[in-house]
């Protein structure tokens, strides 16, 4: 399935934080991950979307080249294998793994969270390990795009956009998203292209 052929994104709804997680007691820090990668290839679970790209960028930026990416259709599949001890680390969106992280079943080694939120989860964010290029253009944060089938009538899209915009202004929704270190964005595809 080629999503670009069958789907049409209409609005960027909100940012999401990416996390690199491990099983407590197996690999407990980025330094330990680097050390392990010197002895053997580490196994890295990834689902689709941007995670394969981000995982390679993060690992390269941390100086880790000895790894094997294990692809999954869904993040939860990788998390199950991580918890079963079959992976060294997995990449996920924080919102997908938050329950397991908060309960201590898995831990965050690094993330795209702000330094303040990262400290609450006992880790340093990825900028501590991979210094951003000050000359690189500022990219939009990873997030969720709401898409419809290609050729959906404009009148339907014009109904959906204001409903999403109203939800993104609801204080209760904003607070619940903030609990997961995320926030509404509400950009149309035209605004994204301009950015």
């Amino acid at each position: 399935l080629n999503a670009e052929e069958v789907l049409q994104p209409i609005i960027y709804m909100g940012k999401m934080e990416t996390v690199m997680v491990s099983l407590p007691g197996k690999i407990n820090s980025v330094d330990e991950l680097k050390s392990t990668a010197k002895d053997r290839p580490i196994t890295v679970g990834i689902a689709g979307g941007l995670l394969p790209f981000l995982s390679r960028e993060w690992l390269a930026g941390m100086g880790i080249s000895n790894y094997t990416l294990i692809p999954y259709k869904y993040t939860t599949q990788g998390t199950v294998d991580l918890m079963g001890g079959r992976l060294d680390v997995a990449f996920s969106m924080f919102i997908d793994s938050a329950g397991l992280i908060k309960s201590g079943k898995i831990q965050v080694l690094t993330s795209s969270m702000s330094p303040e939120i990262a400290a609450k989860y006992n880790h340093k964010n990825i900028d501590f390990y991979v210094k951003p290029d000050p000359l690189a253009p500022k990219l939009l944060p990873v997030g969720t795009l709401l898409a419809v089938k290609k050729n959906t009538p404009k009148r339907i899209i014009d109904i959906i956009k204001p409903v999403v915009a109203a939800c993104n202004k609801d204080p209760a929704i904003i607070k619940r998203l903030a609990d997961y270190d995320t926030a509404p964005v509400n950009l149309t595809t035209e605004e994204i292209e301009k950015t």
Side-chain angles (χ1 to χ4, degrees):
L1 171 71
N2 184 345
E4 289 183 24
E5 291 177 5
V6 296
L7 296 177
Q8 169 186 348
I10 59 170
I11 195 161
Y12 174 32
M13 297 188 337
K15 75 177 186 77
M16 290 186 185
E17 302 303 341
T18 306
V19 291
M20 179 197 291
V21 294
S22 69
L23 191 62
K26 185 166 183 181
I27 293 179
N28 294 302
S29 68
V30 169
D31 288 339
E32 196 175 323
L33 184 68
K34 289 179 180 181
S35 177
T36 302
K38 288 179 183 171
D39 296 334
R40 63 168 176 81
I42 58 169
T43 52
V44 181
I46 51 155
L50 287 173
L51 292 177
F53 170 77
L54 289 173
S55 63
R56 288 190 294 270
E57 291 292 310
W58 285 18
L59 292 165
M62 289 186 278
I64 298 172
S65 59
N66 191 18
Y67 62 87
T68 302
L69 293 179
I70 312 295
Y72 293 93
K73 190 170 184 178
Y74 303 107
T75 301
T76 51
Q77 295 167 320
T79 305
V80 168
D81 279 355
L82 178 72
M83 292 177 65
R86 292 178 290 281
L87 294 174
D88 293 309
V89 295
F91 280 80
S92 173
M93 305 316 292
F94 177 61
I95 200 163
D96 294 334
S97 302
L100 293 169
I101 293 165
K102 290 177 180 183
S103 70
K105 303 246 191 260
I106 59 176
Q107 64 189 353
V108 181
L109 296 181
T110 189
S111 73
S112 62
M113 296 173 179
S114 66
E116 299 76 26
I117 300 292
K120 289 181 182 180
Y121 294 98
N122 303 315
H123 69 278
K124 292 182 171 51
N125 76 0
I126 190 65
D127 293 338
F128 180 82
Y129 304 102
V130 181
K131 301 299 180 209
D133 179 353
L135 300 177
K138 181 91 171 117
L139 299 176
L140 287 169
V142 173
T144 302
L145 280 172
L146 177 64
V148 295
K149 284 184 179 178
K150 277 260 194 211
N151 304 318
T152 295
K154 184 180 179 317
R155 65 182 170 74
I156 301 295
I157 294 170
D158 289 343
I159 292 170
I160 295 171
K161 285 182 181 179
V163 172
V164 171
C167 288
N168 279 345
K169 292 177 185 169
D170 184 312
I173 290 173
I174 292 169
K175 180 178 179 337
R176 288 200 60 189
L177 290 173
D179 290 342
Y180 293 96
D181 195 28
T182 187
V185 175
N186 215 49
L187 290 175
T188 64
T189 49
E190 295 79 20
E191 291 168 323
I192 291 170
E193 287 172 2
K194 285 179 188 173
T195 301

